[in-house]
Amino acid sequence: MFIVRFIIIINLILNLYSYNDPVIYNNENITLNNRTQQIHTLEVDLEEPGVSITNALSFSKIYGFEKTSVMVKDNGAIAGVNGMFYTMYGHHIGLLVKDKKIVSKANNYTPVVAFLESGETFIGDMNTEVKIKRKDDNNNIIVNTMNDAANDETWVLYSDIYGNSTRITRKSINYVIDDNRVIDKVITTEPVDIPRNGYVLSRVTEDTDKYDLLKVNEIVEIETVYTPDIGTVKEAFQSGGWLVKDSVNVAKDYEPLMGNTRIPNPRTIVGITKDNKLIIKVIDGRQPDYSYGVTGKTCADLMLNEGCINAVYLDGGASSTMVYEGKVVNSPSNKEERKVAHSILIKYETNIINRIFSKIRNFARNFIK
């Protein structure tokens, strides 16, 4: 009996020390170029079952601002960071795919980060085309933009993540689409209601007869084409620019969304390693006695040191925020967490034994420190 108990204890100890947390947080206080830097890192093993990366929008809608810590809590995530760049009204800039559904199209001047159904992670340049497919392929309608303000004489496709209505108050022709069927055609100068889980295809125009193209009860398909063809995209978001490409530091001195990247600033950056580990870093800045901040080229070097083969910027500055296990673990430059329009969340669903091991290991690490 003693031998059996001894073997059980040994096995528990071995399991404890052999179990690797799929989501690891680490904080380093280092000196770079004679300046103190506080670097916060999340290493996420995307090969581990139960781990997933998801997008979060403020209040689960386009427009507006909310704290990353609130998004993490409301979505039951273990960790999260601030994400994409956004406009002054809180509309994210560029490609966003959530739950396999495209929310907005890619722009063509920064790379995207995409998590695929195959389990692979893509970081690279991408174009997107969205079209309303009809039985006669020659009469497909190309969507110019999605879930954004409507310009004259362009096709805009709205989904319910945009809100309750199209918010268009100019003369427009609108096709309400639900379950791949045109259920209504509306010519109006008022906003049109967006059905839950449905769409509205709108065009602001005085010549509504010219664009009277779809019939009520017509069956259509909303098709998204990604170039390059990388497979089924589960989640994706647009970045702020390249840092590392094919294991080479390619950071530029200027990026359109950020300006001069040679100025040390707080940064949020993300990259992928050859073995499909996601590396997310927040480097605090604008606090000289605590953490100075880094340039773009230094960001790239940090990601290369982590083994990243590709890495990109996210939004930074006062927005840079990392949340882990319910707490903001970095020191935002404004001394308090800024509300943002978009965050990137890490979820981890696992069995109770692994959770116990994880808690014990984290306690042991903190105790040793």
Side-chain angles (χ1 to χ4, degrees), residues 6 8 22 75 132 189 201 210 234 240 276:
F6 179 76
I8 291 173
N75 287 275
I132 309 300
T189 58
L201 177 67
K210 181 179 179 180
K234 294 174 64 177
N276 207 26

Side-chain angles (χ1 to χ4, degrees), residues 122 144 162 340 368:
F122 172 87
N144 300 105
Y162 184 76
V340 295
I368 292 171

Side-chain angles (χ1 to χ4, degrees), residues 317-336:
S319 296
S320 285
T321 304
M322 181 177 286
V323 178
Y324 179 68
E325 292 192 333
K327 297 180 181 178
V328 176
V329 293
N330 73 305
S331 176
S333 61
N334 282 353
K335 301 301 182 183
E336 62 180 4

Side-chain angles (χ1 to χ4, degrees), residues 55-63 91-92 96-99 101-104 146-147 157-165 167 194-199:
N55 291 290
L57 293 173
S58 59
F59 306 103
S60 299
K61 298 291 183 182
I62 292 174
Y63 296 114
H91 192 296
H92 60 278
L96 181 66
V97 179
K98 183 171 175 57
D99 299 326
K101 294 182 179 180
I102 187 167
V103 176
S104 57
M146 289 190 65
N147 290 314
L157 185 64
Y158 295 99
S159 63
D160 63 348
I161 200 169
Y162 184 76
N164 296 326
S165 78
R167 309 177 197 174
I194 303 170
R196 184 171 177 80
N197 297 320
Y199 298 87

Side-chain angles (χ1 to χ4, degrees), residues 323-353:
V323 178
Y324 179 68
E325 292 192 333
K327 297 180 181 178
V328 176
V329 293
N330 73 305
S331 176
S333 61
N334 282 353
K335 301 301 182 183
E336 62 180 4
E337 184 183 358
R338 172 187 276 180
K339 294 180 179 180
V340 295
H342 171 263
S343 294
I344 298 159
L345 309 184
I346 299 101
K347 292 186 175 182
Y348 176 37
E349 297 178 4
T350 186
N351 63 58
I352 187 64
I353 299 300

Side-chain angles (χ1 to χ4, degrees), residues 178-344:
D178 193 12
D179 196 23
N180 291 332
R181 184 172 65 89
V182 179
I183 63 172
D184 199 6
K185 178 182 73 175
V186 184
I187 297 174
T188 182
T189 58
E190 298 294 328
V192 174
D193 290 343
I194 303 170
R196 184 171 177 80
N197 297 320
Y199 298 87
V200 175
L201 177 67
S202 302
R203 188 180 184 100
V204 174
T205 182
E206 291 296 324
D207 192 357
T208 55
D209 290 342
K210 181 179 179 180
Y211 298 101
D212 190 358
L213 304 178
L214 300 179
K215 298 178 180 178
V216 175
N217 290 323
E218 181 175 351
I219 301 300
V220 296
E221 178 187 353
I222 299 170
E223 181 182 68
T224 303
V225 178
Y226 298 100
T227 306
D229 183 2
I230 57 175
T232 302
V233 178
K234 294 174 64 177
E235 302 279 328
F237 51 84
Q238 196 92 34
S239 77
W242 281 107
L243 288 169
V244 176
K245 187 175 183 179
D246 298 328
S247 300
V248 176
N249 184 333
V250 294
K252 299 177 182 177
D253 291 336
Y254 177 87
E255 288 287 352
L257 291 173
M258 291 178 288
N260 186 352
T261 66
R262 293 175 296 177
I263 300 173
N265 270 310
R267 307 283 182 186
T268 304
I269 54 182
V270 61
I272 194 71
T273 66
K274 188 175 182 179
D275 57 351
N276 207 26
K277 285 187 172 62
L278 192 72
I279 306 296
I280 305 175
K281 287 184 180 289
V282 166
I283 302 98
D284 287 326
R286 301 176 188 167
Q287 303 166 74
D289 296 333
Y290 172 75
S291 187
Y292 197 83
V294 293
T295 66
K297 291 188 183 298
T298 299
C299 283
D301 287 336
L302 289 170
M303 297 306 260
L304 284 169
N305 289 338
E306 294 281 2
C308 289
I309 55 175
N310 292 308
V312 293
Y313 294 99
L314 297 174
D315 190 14
S319 296
S320 285
T321 304
M322 181 177 286
V323 178
Y324 179 68
E325 292 192 333
K327 297 180 181 178
V328 176
V329 293
N330 73 305
S331 176
S333 61
N334 282 353
K335 301 301 182 183
E336 62 180 4
E337 184 183 358
R338 172 187 276 180
K339 294 180 179 180
V340 295
H342 171 263
S343 294
I344 298 159

Side-chain angles (χ1 to χ4, degrees), residues 42-61:
L42 285 169
E43 179 183 304
V44 185
D45 186 354
L46 297 177
E47 297 294 317
E48 181 72 21
V51 173
S52 62
I53 308 298
T54 61
N55 291 290
L57 293 173
S58 59
F59 306 103
S60 299
K61 298 291 183 182

